Amino acid sequence: MVTCYFFGKIHNGGKLVASGNIYLMGNSEGILQAGFPNDENKLIIGNVSTSQQVRVGEQFEVIADNQNVPELSDTVIYVNDLHVLSYGKINNLKQINPKFFNKIGGI
């Protein structure tokens, strides 16, 4: 499993694929895929509002089709209990994914 910390820019048509989580600290105009090829327990954290598409495992969403994508750097993209991509805040990470929160040293 490879977790990706990305500081640069993903250009339009570019793709960032990781078998683990993605922490986006740069800009993305391309495609982000965490949990490649089919692990839906992974997360994408960062501002994805200008990306073309986000994918977690086998779930994906075209950002241009979704007007509810927050333009914040503390956004968490995850697969919810209904197997649909959802958006949350990093402050709510313990409720979103308790196993992940405990792995990084939470209570």
Side-chain angles (χ1 to χ4, degrees), residues 40 42 56-57 59 77-86:
E40 295 184 350
K42 302 304 175 193
V56 177
Q59 306 303 322
I77 297 98
Y78 63 98
V79 177
N80 66 19
D81 295 338
L82 301 173
H83 298 283
V84 176
L85 284 181
S86 291

Side-chain angles (χ1 to χ4, degrees), residues 13 21-23 34-35 44 57 64 86 101:
N21 301 309
I22 294 177
Y23 301 94
I44 299 174
S86 291
F101 188 81

Side-chain angles (χ1 to χ4, degrees), residues 10 16 22 24 28 30-34 44 48 51 53-55:
I10 301 169
L16 177 63
I22 294 177
L24 180 65
S28 172
I31 298 170
L32 301 170
Q33 182 170 4
I44 299 174
V48 299
S51 296
Q53 192 179 100
V54 291
R55 301 176 183 178

Side-chain angles (χ1 to χ4, degrees), residues 8-65:
K9 179 175 182 174
I10 301 169
H11 294 279
N12 192 353
K15 191 173 187 181
L16 177 63
V17 178
S19 59
N21 301 309
I22 294 177
Y23 301 94
L24 180 65
M25 295 169 223
N27 296 322
S28 172
E29 295 174 358
I31 298 170
L32 301 170
Q33 182 170 4
F36 179 81
N38 58 3
D39 188 354
E40 295 184 350
N41 293 320
K42 302 304 175 193
L43 307 169
I44 299 174
I45 299 174
N47 184 353
V48 299
S49 62
T50 57
S51 296
Q52 291 175 320
Q53 192 179 100
V54 291
R55 301 176 183 178
V56 177
E58 296 179 342
Q59 306 303 322
F60 70 94
E61 185 164 58
V62 177
I63 300 298
D65 293 346

